[in-house]
């Protein structure tokens, strides 16, 4: 790029260089820029810098002021009052009011944003707007995690005066967003890039530092890395794990490891057992599989060290609820696996194979499957891989339930009530993608989850969740493989990225 | 001739029908990709109702065809923009790759084919086709990475990917120069992968023409070997190359997918793969429609050009 | 075959010999499936692992051998299906002519116009990604080319005296086909065969590269796409699959070139001209 850069230097007037631009590379094309109608990572990575939520989460996933400068929670955790900043304005000049909040929740989020809808939809009794800068949420029952679900990824606030005319799903503002966040939308070149400009009237004075934020769509992680190394981009959100060692020794590149990102956090790559099918309904088979897979090797070779073996059904990132030793009994031991299978009656036949199992998965998780294939074949299980693209996989798993095993990365979110509960409650069995794929039915678990959601005190909730995890460890409806970490890399001249959240470029300079 | 023109819409309709039922028969639907990573029953019902996906398939097909007649190709589920807009944006980069690559490889191929036919030693006559075959056999995606490794990383001349510089959004002349810089490597990949075909074709025809009696006649009239070729045989030999160019076009439009993936080139091929993955029905059908139209029109034009150039061939739709 | 072409022909055979070797002997040289073994990851080529190991510790040599074998199998399978359909339809078309011919030609035109690669991608989503599906789909979209060739051959052959005589003697379609047509078209068909195999191998590699191939079957395309993450940490993962893929494709193309060119030299009749045009159009992009 040196020759090209020299030409550029000569040709372009100096004023261009006075402008500080941050260039970011991401893999997926957003399609549209409305974060309220989808939970998709591809949209949020762009749109979360244009819009804002009531709060934002800091590094420890605790709430900090965003649109709301302060808030109070009633003692019974049933009423949440937020004071919206006086100087919060939309990019077109209108003031951000509580009407916007009410409108967004009732007409957009509770209809189209699946996570918020399923998590908060039934809990919110009413939203009151006593004055333009004050909004009150009244809940049916106490729900302390409420506040962690109000950041820009889970609950972005959309402008009522723009979206109220028409259907949010098809609105022209989806391609020309007016938000209240640190960056203003300038241009979207499909398949190529999105350009954002600094919001000079942003309510947090002094931020953002960059005048321009350009987000490039580079699907290939190696191309992203090459672009970073050559200086074409400053920040990439996908780093090929194999390069980790090399990059750590490179002083011009800084790395950041996070357990969360714009698409969700605290993710565990999980194997689902189809409890309605012959072999996988047998607990012995499930236990044997758990002993047969070398999860340390997966962390080493598939994740290149970017992650941990899952030691409990709830991600370690939710520290207060994580039950440390719940999965301890399932150590890596092919011998134990073989013994269990022998005792269960699945002996090795003449060709050495005990049974054949198939596993449905998205193509991008193929590496896990390949590692599992190696381990399972050693104990006599032939693993057949069925890679289906996303839509087909979802339909096969949740609609037709045509699988023995499947592999999905389930993200827990900031609170177990967000991303954990959906996998285990019996009300979630059916054509509801990314929910209870195993068809696990346990009424005790159902009631424990319900209770835990309604208690305000985290300590008391923790007791319930730990109980849940111990029961799950015995029943083993799923097998929790590894907790993934996300690796982002950036030019070491730049710092201050909030890589764990949607508006990651807020503090960057 | 008129018959051919009439056949176009009929063939189009048949192709669209087949694709329509194919893609709707594919398991899954747009809901999962639109929702993100979490879908609720209400959301699914909302989306399906909104896009009229709950109606019986034949009714949906009829609605779609009715819309096409009025020029309405629908709105892309994923991009939330009219299908024609989305395709329009992405077809230009693909055309930027395909058209210059056909033209340049044709010229280059003709020249090299000519060289290989006229030179005096057997070795040099054989070496050009053989080398071109080996070079062309390099899989396009492997070739792409090789070029990137050499030119972009080692020599640092050309950008690694994409169509424009990410950091500075340039206007006017600089914008076009920038695009040309980015175009170089993918274009090179496409050209190399087509060279052998042209070279071999030209060479074959040229050798054939040389074996015909009129060549001897020309030589006996005093023209040198070389001149005889240039003045007479070459003109005849170029014909098939031109007509084949039309067919190559349709191959290349879909074939550019691999190059587009390697270079992150925002073209139609990648768009198609994306659209299929998210089950964006209007977009998939729209792309197929446009591509089929292009192919059929090109076939027609190719045959037309051929009859015009070579009066010996009459216009027949087959053979 | 004159000497120059003989040399090329044998050169082509040499180039595809690793593939042929793999096809015949893979069960012996690499008894365990590529996916099952696991050794030390990322070892460079050395005595024990001639081509090194990949990121999951799998032996690349096994991968290449089994990948070549699979590629060849796909190539042969696709050719078999495409040619079966194409030859039968071509003969029907050429012999019966009339309405049958008209309809079949229209059918072949429809297939020709459809963007092949895209429909194959579509059906990968539809049928799932298995190698049988791949072969079927690719084969289903490659028949129209051989159909036209066979058709024009049959059209010209049917006017020969001995065919007319055979019909007069009472020989029906099946008899004539078996005894006469098939032997007559074999030379032409077999001269185009390497090209089709070539195209199928390329298509399969391309699809696997895009991630749409069968994940249970080793493929050179997959090996290449897997390797691009490790361009710097494991150059052998990138070099060897590409090298062998290139050699195999080049070999088939050279074989085709040596025989086709020869054919051209020997009998430059106008009908050959038309065939040559069409047969060249199927070359790789």
């Amino acid at each position: 790029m040196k020759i090209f850069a020299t030409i550029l230097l000569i040709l372009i007037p100096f004023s261009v260089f006075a402008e500080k631009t941050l260039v970011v590379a991401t893999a997926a094309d957003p399609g549209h820029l409305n974060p309220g109608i989808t939970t998709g990572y591809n949209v949020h990575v762009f749109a979360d810098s244009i819009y804002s939520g009531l709060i934002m989460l800091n590094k420890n996933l605790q709430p900090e002021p965003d649109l709301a400068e302060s808030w109070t929670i009633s003692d019974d955790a049933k009423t949440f009052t937020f004071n919206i900043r006086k100087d919060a304005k939309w990019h077109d000049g209108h003031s951000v009011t509580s009407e916007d909040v009410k409108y967004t929740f009732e007409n957009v989020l509770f209809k189209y944003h699946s996570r918020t809808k399923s998590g908060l939809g039934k809990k919110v009794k009413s939203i009151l707007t006593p004055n333009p800068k004050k909004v009150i949420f009244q809940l049916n029952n106490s729900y302390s995690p409420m506040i962690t679900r109000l950041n820009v990824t889970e609950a972005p606030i959309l402008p009522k005066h723009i979206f109220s005319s028409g259907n949010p799903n098809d609105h022209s503002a989806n391609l020309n967003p007016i938000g209240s966040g640190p960056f203003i939308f300038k241009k979207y070149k499909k398949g190529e890039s999105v350009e954002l400009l600094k919001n000079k009237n942003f309510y947090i004075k002094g931020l953002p530092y960059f005048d321009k934020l350009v987000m490039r769509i580079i699907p290939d992680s190696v191309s992203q890395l090459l672009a970073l190394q050559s200086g074409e981009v400053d920040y990439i959100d996908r780093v090929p794990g194999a390069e980790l060692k090399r990059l750590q020794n490179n002083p011009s590149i800084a790395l950041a490891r996070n357990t969360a990102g714009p698409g969700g956090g605290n993710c565990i790559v999980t194997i689902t057992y189809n409890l309605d099918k012959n072999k996988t309904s047998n607990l012995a088979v499930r236990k044997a599989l758990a002993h047969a897979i070398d999860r340390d090797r997966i962390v080493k070779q598939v994740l290149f060290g970017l992650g941990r073996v899952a030691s409990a059904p709830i991600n370690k990132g939710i520290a207060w609820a994580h039950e440390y030793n719940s999965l301890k009994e399932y150590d890596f031991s092919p011998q134990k696996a073989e013994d269990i299978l022998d005792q269960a009656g699945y002996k090795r036949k003449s060709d050495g194979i005990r049974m054949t199992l198939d596993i449905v998965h998205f193509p991008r998780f193929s590496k896990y499957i390949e590692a599992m294939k190696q381990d399972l074949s050693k104990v006599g299980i032939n693993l057949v891989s069925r890679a289906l693209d996303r839509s087909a996989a979802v339909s096969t798993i949740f609609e037709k339930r045509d699988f023995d095993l499947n592999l999905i990365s389930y993200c827990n979110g900031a609170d177990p009530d967000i991303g954990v509960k959906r996998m285990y409650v019996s009300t979630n069995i059916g054509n509801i993608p990314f929910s209870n794929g195993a068809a696990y039915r346990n009424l005790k678990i159902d009631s424990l989850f319900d209770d835990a959601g309604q208690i305000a005190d985290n300590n008391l909730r923790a007791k319930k969740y730990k109980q849940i995890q111990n029961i799950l460890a015995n029943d083993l409806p799923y097998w929790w493989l590894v907790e993934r970490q996300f690796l982002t890399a950036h030019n070491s001249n730049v710092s201050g990225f909030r890589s764990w959240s949607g508006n990651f470029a807020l503090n960057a300079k | 001739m008129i018959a051919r023109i009439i056949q176009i819409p009929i063939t189009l309709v048949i192709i669209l029908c087949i694709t329509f039922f194919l893609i709707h028969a594919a398991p899954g639907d747009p809901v999962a990709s639109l929702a993100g990573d979490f879908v609720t029953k209400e959301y699914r019902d909302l989306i399906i109702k909104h896009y009229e996906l709950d109606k019986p398939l034949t009714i949906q097909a009829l609605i779609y065809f009715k819309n096409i007649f009025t020029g309405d190709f629908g709105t892309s589920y994923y991009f939330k923009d009219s299908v024609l807009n989305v395709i329009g944006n992405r077809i230009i980069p693909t055309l930027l790759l395909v058209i210059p690559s056909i033209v340049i490889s044709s010229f280059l191929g003709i020249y090299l084919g000519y060289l290989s036919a006229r030179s005096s030693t057997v070795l040099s006559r054989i070496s050009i086709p053989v080398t071109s075959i080996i070079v062309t056999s390099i899989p396009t995606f492997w070739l792409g990475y090789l070029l990137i490794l050499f030119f972009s990383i080692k020599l640092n001349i050309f950008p690694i990917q994409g169509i424009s510089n990410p950091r500075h959004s340039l206007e006017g002349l600089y914008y076009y120069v920038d695009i040309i810089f980015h175009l170089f490597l993918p274009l090179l990949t496409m050209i190399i992968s087509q060279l052998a075909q042209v070279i071999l074709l030209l060479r074959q025809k040229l050798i054939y023409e040389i074996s015909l009696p009129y060549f001897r006649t020309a030589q006996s009239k005093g023209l040198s070997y070389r001149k005889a070729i240039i003045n007479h045989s070459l003109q005849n030999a170029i014909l098939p190359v031109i007509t084949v160019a039309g067919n190559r076009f349709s191959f290349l439009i879909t074939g550019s997918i691999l190059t587009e993936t390697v270079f992150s080139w925002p073209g139609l091929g990648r768009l198609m793969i994306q659209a299929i993955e998210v089950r964006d029905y209007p977009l998939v059908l729209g792309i197929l429609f446009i591509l089929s139209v292009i192919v059929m029109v090109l076939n027609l034009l190719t045959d037309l050009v051929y009859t015009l150039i070579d009066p010996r061939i009459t216009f027949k739709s087959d053979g | 075959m004159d000497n120059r072409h003989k040399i090329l022909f044998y050169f082509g055979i040499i180039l595809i010999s690793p593939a042929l070797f793999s096809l015949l002997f893979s069960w012996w040289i690499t008894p365990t499936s590529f996916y099952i073994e696991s050794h030390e990851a990322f070892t460079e080529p050395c005595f024990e692992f001639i081509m090194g190991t990949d990121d999951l510790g799998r032996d690349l040599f096994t991968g290449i051998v089994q990948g070549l074998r699979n590629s060849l199998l796909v190539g042969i399978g696709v050719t078999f299906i495409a040619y079966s359909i194409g030859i039968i339809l071509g003969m029907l078309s050429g012999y019966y002519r009339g309405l049958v011919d008209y309809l079949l030609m229209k059918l072949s035109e429809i297939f020709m116009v459809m963007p092949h690669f895209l429909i194959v991608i579509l059906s990968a989503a539809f049928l799932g990604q298995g190698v049988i599906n791949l072969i079927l789909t690719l084969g289903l979209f490659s028949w129209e080319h051989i159909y036209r060739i066979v058709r024009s051959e049959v059209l010209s052959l049917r006017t020969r005296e001995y065919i007319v005589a055979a019909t007069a003697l009472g020989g029906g379609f099946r008899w004539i086909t078996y005894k006469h047509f098939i032997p007559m078209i074999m030379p032409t068909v077999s001269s185009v065969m390497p090209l089709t195999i070539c195209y199928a191998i390329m298509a399969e590699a391309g699809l696997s590269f895009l991630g749409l191939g069968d994940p249970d079957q080793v493929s050179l395309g997959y090996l290449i796409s897997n390797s691009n993450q490790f361009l710097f940490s494991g150059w052998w993962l990138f070099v060897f699959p590409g090298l062998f893929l290139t050699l195999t494709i080049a070999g088939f193309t050279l074989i085709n070139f040596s025989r086709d060119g020869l054919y051209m030299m020997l009998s430059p009749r106008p009908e050959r001209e038309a065939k040559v045009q069409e047969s060249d159009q199927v070359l790789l992009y």
Side-chain angles (χ1 to χ4, degrees):
Chain A
M1 281 304 294
K2 297 203 195 90
I3 299 181
F4 184 51
T6 337
I7 299 180
L8 217 55
L9 268 169
I10 301 174
L11 290 180
I12 293 187
F14 290 128
S15 59
V16 171
F17 280 99
E19 191 180 67
K20 282 192 305 194
T21 309
L22 179 66
V23 183
V24 168
T26 183
D29 196 341
H32 64 86
L33 292 169
N34 186 337
I37 60 176
T38 176
T39 60
Y41 171 82
N42 53 334
V43 172
H44 279 268
V45 114
F46 294 87
D48 286 358
S49 297
I50 303 176
Y51 288 92
S52 26
L54 283 172
I55 56 124
M56 65 171 103
L57 295 173
N58 70 5
K59 202 162 178 166
N60 300 321
L61 301 183
Q62 295 305 311
E64 278 181 0
D66 195 356
L67 268 180
E69 60 186 358
S70 63
W71 57 86
T72 51
I73 309 177
S74 66
D75 290 329
D76 59 358
K78 268 176 151 177
T79 310
F80 291 78
T81 312
F82 293 92
N83 296 315
I84 303 176
R85 291 178 197 255
K86 310 265 181 310
D87 51 355
K89 285 202 181 55
W90 295 109
H91 296 152
D92 61 0
H94 287 91
S95 202
V96 178
T97 68
S98 53
E99 286 292 318
D100 292 316
V101 177
K102 184 178 165 78
Y103 170 81
T104 305
F105 272 88
E106 290 178 351
N107 296 62
V108 180
L109 296 176
F110 287 158
K111 276 198 192 147
Y112 297 104
H113 193 289
S114 336
R115 250 200 318 260
T116 304
K117 175 187 173 16
S118 68
L120 294 180
K122 296 194 184 67
K123 295 202 168 68
V124 173
K125 188 166 69 174
S126 59
I127 304 179
L128 303 173
T129 56
N131 72 51
K133 287 295 182 181
K134 202 182 189 110
V135 62
I136 305 181
F137 289 85
Q138 284 183 334
L139 306 181
N140 290 321
N141 302 314
S142 37
Y143 186 59
S144 36
M146 165 86 178
I147 191 153
T148 51
R149 304 183 72 151
L150 296 175
N151 63 346
V152 68
T153 310
E154 303 294 327
I157 306 296
L158 269 51
K160 173 180 178 182
H161 60 279
I162 297 211
F163 277 97
S164 54
S165 58
N167 185 333
N169 210 19
D170 290 326
H171 208 281
S172 59
N174 290 344
L175 294 175
N176 254 311
I178 304 279
S180 55
F183 289 96
I184 302 182
F185 173 76
K186 174 146 180 258
K187 217 190 318 185
Y188 170 31
K189 292 194 212 145
K190 297 189 187 36
E192 239 192 274
S193 63
V194 173
E195 276 179 39
L196 305 175
L197 294 178
K198 169 177 174 158
N199 179 2
K200 300 203 171 59
N201 298 324
F202 191 52
Y203 42 81
I204 302 183
K205 296 282 173 274
L207 295 180
Y209 294 108
F210 278 98
D211 298 311
K212 208 158 99 161
L213 177 61
V214 176
M215 308 184 69
R216 292 282 297 198
I217 299 165
I218 303 180
D220 183 38
S221 59
V222 176
S223 304
Q224 281 191 10
L225 185 59
L226 292 175
L228 180 66
Q229 286 177 316
S230 71
E232 276 183 26
V233 304
D234 299 312
Y235 177 92
I236 60 179
D237 66 357
R238 247 218 248 167
V239 183
E243 302 295 323
L244 184 59
K245 274 213 194 73
R246 259 189 356 112
L247 291 177
Q248 278 170 337
N249 297 331
N250 187 340
S252 58
I253 294 186
L255 300 168
R257 297 159 84 132
N258 309 287
T259 53
N266 291 330
C267 303
I268 307 183
V269 179
T270 314
I271 299 180
T272 308
Y273 294 108
N274 188 343
L275 297 174
D276 291 332
K277 271 229 174 164
N278 197 341
K279 294 165 267 203
T280 41
S281 56
N282 187 335
L283 182 60
V285 171
R286 305 206 293 272
K287 290 198 182 208
L289 232 90
H291 283 291
I293 299 178
D294 186 354
R295 298 184 296 166
D296 279 310
R297 187 170 76 100
I298 292 184
V299 171
K300 205 169 85 161
Q301 290 183 340
V302 177
L303 294 179
F304 294 97
L306 290 171
R308 302 183 274 250
V309 168
S311 42
I314 294 186
N315 192 302
K316 200 165 172 191
I318 309 181
W320 54 270
H322 178 89
E323 172 71 314
Y324 278 91
N325 291 322
S326 46
L327 298 181
K328 193 149 170 249
E329 59 171 292
Y330 300 107
D331 56 326
F332 170 56
S333 161
Q335 189 55 51
K336 273 195 194 153
E338 303 228 31
D339 293 338
I340 296 180
L341 286 174
D342 278 332
Q343 278 178 355
Y346 291 102
K347 298 234 190 288
R348 280 185 191 257
K349 304 195 191 68
S350 52
D351 57 0
I353 298 183
R354 300 173 192 272
M355 69 171 86
T356 302
L357 293 173
D358 71 28
I359 181 162
V360 176
H361 60 96
F362 301 155
R364 63 190 168 100
F365 286 120
S366 293
K367 269 290 139 100
Y368 295 91
I369 310 298
E370 289 169 25
M372 282 165 54
K373 241 202 259 226
Q374 291 170 312
D375 291 338
L376 289 180
S377 71
K378 290 205 177 77
V379 301
I381 300 180
N382 182 19
L383 188 66
V384 173
S385 148
R386 286 169 61 194
L388 298 172
D389 74 14
R390 203 188 152 93
S391 314
V394 162
S395 158
T396 309
I397 296 174
F398 296 101
E399 190 184 0
K400 299 188 208 145
R401 298 191 50 76
D402 171 28
F403 65 96
D404 289 323
L405 305 167
N406 74 53
L407 191 79
I408 293 183
S409 164
Y410 279 105
C411 294
N412 292 354
D415 189 282
D417 200 70
I418 302 178
V420 178
K421 176 174 168 188
R422 53 170 168 158
M423 290 165 70
Y424 305 104
V425 292
S426 53
T427 46
N428 267 352
I429 300 177
N431 190 0
I432 304 172
F434 304 112
S435 62
N436 192 340
Y440 178 55
R441 293 174 178 83
N442 185 327
L443 294 175
K444 179 119 180 76
I445 293 270
D446 288 356
S447 66
L448 279 173
F449 267 114
D450 279 335
D451 292 343
Q454 295 184 10
I455 306 175
D457 178 2
N458 268 3
N459 287 328
L460 294 175
R461 296 176 70 209
K463 284 215 183 72
K464 302 260 178 200
Y465 286 124
K466 292 191 181 171
Q467 222 183 333
I468 290 176
Q469 289 172 82
N470 285 323
I471 300 181
L472 289 176
N474 282 333
D475 289 348
L476 224 56
Y478 298 83
W479 178 234
W480 304 269
L481 283 180
V482 289
E483 298 177 2
R484 287 197 304 163
Q485 282 177 351
F486 301 100
L487 186 66
T488 61
H490 57 88
N491 197 329
S492 34
N493 291 341
V494 195
S495 62
F497 288 103
R498 307 165 58 102
S499 2
W500 61 90
S501 78
N503 55 348
F504 57 92
L506 182 63
N507 295 327
K509 68 166 174 298
Chain B
M1 163 77 163
I2 310 285
R4 280 291 290 272
I5 300 189
I6 295 184
Q7 279 168 25
I8 291 187
I10 302 180
T11 323
L12 263 177
V13 168
I14 298 181
I15 293 183
L16 280 179
C17 276
I18 298 179
T19 325
F20 190 89
F21 289 106
L22 251 185
I23 189 154
H24 277 269
D29 53 33
V31 176
S33 352
L34 287 176
D37 75 335
F38 204 96
V39 184
T40 56
K41 188 167 182 320
E42 293 85 359
Y43 181 81
R44 148 173 253 116
D45 292 338
L46 205 61
I47 295 286
I48 292 198
K49 217 172 168 60
H50 183 77
Y51 290 118
E52 297 184 325
L53 292 170
D54 52 348
K55 299 214 174 76
L57 213 51
T58 31
I59 307 264
Q60 287 187 48
L62 287 174
I63 298 181
Y64 182 71
F65 281 111
K66 178 174 73 100
N67 285 338
I68 294 228
F69 274 122
T70 54
D72 172 20
F73 282 88
T75 315
S76 156
Y77 301 153
Y78 193 76
F79 289 96
K80 307 217 181 299
D81 196 3
S82 96
V83 165
L84 287 180
N85 259 356
V86 176
I87 297 182
N89 275 336
R90 300 286 285 256
I91 200 170
I92 296 180
T94 304
L95 289 179
L96 268 183
L97 273 187
V98 170
I99 298 181
S101 76
I102 291 187
V103 168
I104 297 181
S105 66
S106 297
F107 275 108
L108 209 54
I110 290 177
Y111 181 61
L112 288 173
Y114 158 72
L115 275 183
S116 85
R118 75 144 163 88
S119 63
S120 29
T121 59
V122 178
L123 188 62
S124 47
R125 274 208 297 269
I126 286 288
S127 64
I128 289 186
V130 171
T131 326
S132 70
I133 286 182
I134 296 188
V135 169
T136 300
S137 302
I138 303 180
T140 36
F141 41 95
W142 204 57
L143 179 62
Y145 281 117
L146 282 176
L147 289 178
I148 292 181
L149 273 174
F150 187 61
F151 284 104
S152 302
I153 298 183
K154 234 184 158 65
L155 294 186
N156 222 346
I157 305 180
F158 292 104
I160 294 172
Q161 46 71 36
I163 193 173
S164 56
N165 187 301
R167 190 172 294 280
H168 313 278
S169 72
L170 308 157
E171 306 290 320
L173 182 62
Y174 309 134
Y175 180 62
Y176 295 115
V177 170
D178 183 36
I179 292 190
I180 294 182
F181 253 100
H182 281 87
L183 186 59
F184 196 82
L185 285 184
L187 193 59
L188 192 59
T189 316
M190 302 270 297
I191 293 177
I192 291 182
S193 60
Q194 295 171 55
L195 265 184
Q197 189 183 3
V198 180
I199 293 180
L200 292 182
L201 189 57
L202 185 82
R203 196 175 162 280
Q204 227 151 24
K205 295 300 291 179
L206 206 52
I207 292 179
Y208 170 63
E209 295 285 330
I210 290 178
S211 68
L212 289 180
Y214 76 82
F215 192 75
R216 272 286 166 75
T217 319
Q219 275 185 311
S220 63
K221 279 204 284 183
L223 285 167
S224 72
Y225 186 66
R226 205 173 287 194
K227 262 232 154 85
I229 296 186
I230 300 180
N231 285 355
H232 297 283
S233 330
L234 205 55
Q235 291 166 359
N236 291 340
I238 290 184
L239 268 183
V241 175
I242 298 181
T243 57
V244 164
N247 282 346
R248 274 163 53 201
F249 194 85
S250 50
F251 255 133
L252 286 176
I253 296 236
T254 56
S256 62
I257 291 181
L258 293 169
T259 318
E260 283 175 20
T261 308
V262 170
F263 288 96
S264 302
W265 191 258
L268 209 56
R270 267 182 48 209
L271 184 64
M272 180 66 155
I273 298 185
Q274 226 181 331
I276 293 179
E277 211 184 292
V278 301
R279 305 285 191 275
D280 192 344
Y281 302 137
L283 192 54
V284 172
L285 292 168
I287 295 181
L288 250 140
F289 183 86
I290 302 272
L291 286 183
S292 305
V293 167
I294 292 182
V295 167
M296 283 195 282
V297 166
L298 274 174
N299 279 345
L300 201 58
L301 281 178
T302 307
D303 286 346
L304 207 59
V305 165
Y306 201 57
T307 41
L308 285 178
I309 294 184
D310 189 349
R312 291 178 295 173
I313 318 272
T314 54
F315 195 90
K316 266 166 45 178
S317 61
D318 51 2
Chain C
M1 216 188 260
D2 82 18
N3 281 332
R4 290 170 287 173
H5 288 95
K6 246 192 192 153
I7 296 178
L8 281 182
F9 183 72
Y10 287 132
F11 189 45
I13 300 273
I14 292 178
L15 288 183
I16 67 169
S17 57
L20 287 175
F21 198 61
S22 305
L23 180 65
L24 295 172
F25 297 118
S26 66
W27 54 268
W28 183 54
I29 332 175
T30 59
T32 51
S33 159
F34 174 66
Y35 287 115
I36 300 207
E37 319 163 357
S38 74
H39 310 278
E40 176 76 35
F42 281 114
T43 52
E44 295 191 357
C46 56
F47 188 66
E48 196 195 345
F49 298 112
I50 311 181
M51 296 190 196
T53 62
D54 72 352
D55 56 321
L56 284 180
R58 299 175 295 199
D59 176 21
L60 192 63
F61 179 70
T62 312
I64 301 255
V65 165
Q66 297 187 346
L68 280 176
R69 173 199 72 193
N70 289 339
S71 295
L72 216 48
L73 281 176
V74 169
I76 296 177
V78 169
T79 311
F80 182 70
I81 293 183
Y83 279 27
S84 307
I85 301 179
I87 291 179
I88 294 181
L89 289 185
M91 291 202 280
L92 282 175
S93 226
Y95 186 73
Y96 285 114
R97 294 194 301 176
L99 186 64
V100 170
D101 179 31
Y102 180 72
L103 287 177
L104 284 176
M105 275 299 278
K106 285 290 154 267
L107 192 67
S108 79
E109 272 174 26
I110 293 183
F111 269 89
M112 263 181 64
V113 171
M114 285 204 266
H116 295 173
F117 215 47
L118 297 179
I119 304 262
V120 173
I121 295 177
L122 200 61
S123 44
F126 170 49
L127 296 167
Q129 301 173 200
V131 71
I132 307 281
N133 297 335
L134 190 69
I135 296 181
L136 281 176
T137 324
L138 277 178
L140 208 55
F141 282 94
S142 316
W143 64 266
E144 62 267 13
H145 166 63
I146 193 74
Y147 162 76
R148 286 184 174 230
I149 293 182
V150 170
R151 178 180 171 278
S152 54
E153 276 276 338
V154 173
L155 275 179
S156 74
L157 283 176
R158 73 194 302 281
T159 54
R160 305 269 175 88
E161 291 94 7
Y162 60 89
I163 303 290
V164 179
T167 326
L169 281 175
F173 177 68
R174 296 241 303 262
W175 169 258
I176 296 189
T177 309
Y178 183 61
K179 265 256 147 163
H180 297 289
F181 283 157
I182 290 189
M184 299 298 303
I185 61 169
M186 262 327 165
T188 327
V189 166
S190 61
S191 75
V192 197
M193 212 182 288
L195 218 47
T196 316
I197 297 184
C198 204
Y199 163 73
I201 294 182
M202 260 300 250
E204 187 270 334
L207 285 171
S208 303
F209 173 75
L210 292 174
L212 298 165
D214 188 338
D216 269 332
Q217 302 289 337
V218 189
S219 159
L220 292 174
Y222 166 76
L223 289 174
I224 296 182
S225 81
N226 190 34
S227 75
N228 72 1
Q229 277 188 40
F230 313 117
L231 278 179
F232 301 112
S233 24
W235 57 267
W236 57 95
L237 295 175
F238 175 71
V239 167
F240 286 117
L243 200 60
F244 282 98
L245 193 56
T246 309
L247 289 180
T248 311
I249 294 179
F252 276 110
T253 319
L254 273 178
I255 293 179
N256 187 65
F257 169 64
S258 65
R259 299 180 63 196
D260 210 32
L262 170 74
Y263 216 61
M264 200 41 221
M265 298 280 227
L266 283 188
S267 48
R269 290 197 300 263
E271 48 220 58
R272 304 263 176 249
E273 214 171 294
K275 257 195 302 282
V276 162
Q277 265 175 32
E278 290 173 16
S279 72
D280 282 325
Q281 284 163 20
V282 91
L283 260 178
L284 341 144
Y285 37 76

